[in-house]
Amino acid sequence: MGKAAALCGGGTRGLVSLLSAVPCLACHELPAMSAEPGGRGGGGPAGGAPAAPPGSDTYKGWLFKWTNYLKGYQRRWFVLSNGLLSYYRTQAEMAHTCRGTINLSTAHIDTEDSCNIVLSNGGRTYHLKANSEVERQRWVTALELAKAKAIRMRNNQSDDSGDEEPASQSDKSELHGPLKTLSSKLEDLSTCNELIAKHGAALQRSLSELENLRLPADSGEKIKAVNERATLFRITSNAMINACRDFLDLAESHSRKWQRLLQHEREQRIRLEETIEQLAKQHNSLERACRGAPGLATGTASSASAAKAGSVQSAKGEASDEDEETEYFDAMEDAPAFITVTADPKHHRRSGSNLSGASEGHPEDWNLEDSVFESSNQSSYNESTGKDLLPRKRRRTRIPDKPNYSLNLWSIMKNCIGKELSKIPMPVNFNEPLSMLQRLTEDLEYHELLDKAVKCESSTEQMCFVAAFSVSSYSTTVHRTAKPFNPLLGETFELDRLEELGFRSLCEQVSHHPPAAAHHVYSRRGWTLWQEITIASKFRGKYLSIMPLGAIHLEFHSSGNHYVWRKVTSTVHNIIVGKLWIDQSGEIEIVNHKSKDKCQLKFTPYSYFSRDVPRKVTGVVSDADGKAHYVMSGTWDEKMECSKILHSSHGSTSTEGKQKTVYQTLSPKVLWRKYPLPDNAENMYFFSELALTLNEPEERVAPTDSRLRPDQRLMESGRWDEANVEKQRLEEKQRAVRRRREAEAVEAMEEGKDYEGYLPLWFERKVDAVTGELICVYKGGYWEAKDKQDWSVCPDIF
């Protein structure tokens, strides 16, 4: 689906070309750095040798860059300078338009075959091709040297290697220039010291001569006062002169010391560059030898394939779908690279001494009952998960089919010109008949993972289930490209499944600007979950990035284990043209604040060129000492598996200079598998069986419940025109309430009174003891009010 969807995104090229016409500040200085030797950059028209020798500060030349499936590789002029690799369509564009720049200090350099180079930096990826293997190696050497220099500059507290001055002078002039200026200023300071002393002495002499003159009594008093002030000036001047003299002595001694240190650092840098260049040559030789090696033995080949399947590769990003690169605003941190190799359990039972300390015992420990460690093979949400619970209430399995309404995007956009973004009435055509509070409650679809986690005696095993639960919440987003309704301030949503599934959930919209929802879940099975989520988004023309802000807390009653994690970034692609599709990317760090266990999960962004499976998620569960116990692997839209680590060792160093860890594991066990979608799901907004029941009418709920929202109810029944009218009415009603509240605040301020402002009904703001953040937590009262059917405190929002 992703490839087909991205192929349709070519219509945004004009918009991106318009944006990229703005000169890049980091690249705008490049023409002044060095003249281009070799006329047109060397080589033939297809892309010749680079225009500068490896090791120089500036490196230029023609390379082929992958643009998209329609155009393939296109010839571009590349300039490497100051740790930045920039490219242009022609050499003439260097004076005014930079097409893209990648910072090498945080980039990964990889080689796919004899002529290809892959540069990856967070969400941006360049796929480049040289004319020959020799030319490729020259570029790789230059890039490695530039990366090493950029890293060194960054470690020396350089804010941004791209903001440095052009390297147009030699290292010697760079060293002696500042020293010469400093020496000049020290000489000026010394001269000023002498002048102060000279003029101070002259002033004192003049005042002494005045005292000896015969003047009237009143004049004598004035002269005496002036003399006292001159004495104070002399004392202050002497103190300043002494301080300046000390500064001069220190500056002169330290300037010599700095000069020696700078010279030493320069020599160290030259030796490091030579070492890196030699390593790059050796790496290239080993690469060629590996490609030319004969077929491996069967056992080695199977291990290699397993290693390839389990390796965590660098994120390639969704950057090369068009000629102008997608610019992700959030750069993911690098997760530890590792390789997993499935071991033979029988062999390790015979030789238990081979086990590392990370396993804390023998493989026989990996024998938890299937009912606990194997994911239940339920094919339906409606199957029972516990014997101690009552039979489930029969709930609906269908909603009215989605109407086939045509939508003219331009007719909407032209009416929004000049309007404030928050006041643009977006039609329900973009929505699905669920609110954000109901979407937040959907995180509980695989709540049985937490029920199983309660039974785990080991905190690291429990962490595996918590990690699988954190990934499972994304499984419903694969096809759900429509946006949920924005909740009104004070809107609530309850999901009371205490008798059927053992838990009940309450959500409330606690803030409107910025929009924030608080969520609290209690389970009689032995766990409590709470969170406050604020949605931040950035629109980048081709895609929309959605960043859920806020921590998710999960506490198990019996053990007291308290887990905290945060959600990753969701990206909606092809916003303007093409079929919408969603990707999840980033990292989740789950921390058990009681035992200090950790789980690092990495969501690899989708890429056309990656050999990995799409939507891949990998991670490692480690204890407080940093020893790895389990490897997590799978995809966020299908399943998650867990493998127990028997032995760990350090493998070969990757092309990015990072050493991979090789984990020998037992066969993986499935912790979570996605439920299949119901029949006809494509006509029901791709809702899961749980989602179909969320907006089902229910008695005794609060009058602020999302089920009672009229525009959402009309949309679900297929009456979209009426839903649009009702949606506009509700939004205007909410604005009127906000204006009244603002007027009351102004009036209270004029009268000198305190104004509390809006307070949530069922939640209250407190400082979280674990994270130190101000978070809305459930204060109680909702379920008691429901039992009494006393909703007098609820506002009239619908």
Side-chain angles (χ1 to χ4, degrees), residues 357-375:
S359 64
E360 288 187 354
H362 295 275
E364 288 86 345
D365 297 340
W366 187 244
N367 60 359
L368 292 179
E369 294 297 329
D370 289 347
S371 60
V372 176
F373 226 118
E374 282 289 347
S375 173

Side-chain angles (χ1 to χ4, degrees), residues 419-426 512-513 731 735 738:
K419 292 185 180 180
E420 186 182 342
L421 188 62
S422 62
K423 296 182 180 179
I424 296 174
M426 299 303 291
H512 191 65
H513 289 295
E731 290 172 350
R735 293 190 192 103
R738 186 171 70 247

Side-chain angles (χ1 to χ4, degrees), residues 199-212:
H199 293 317
L203 177 62
Q204 195 68 43
R205 285 195 304 271
S206 298
L207 291 172
S208 298
E209 291 172 358
L210 284 175
E211 282 185 342
N212 296 330

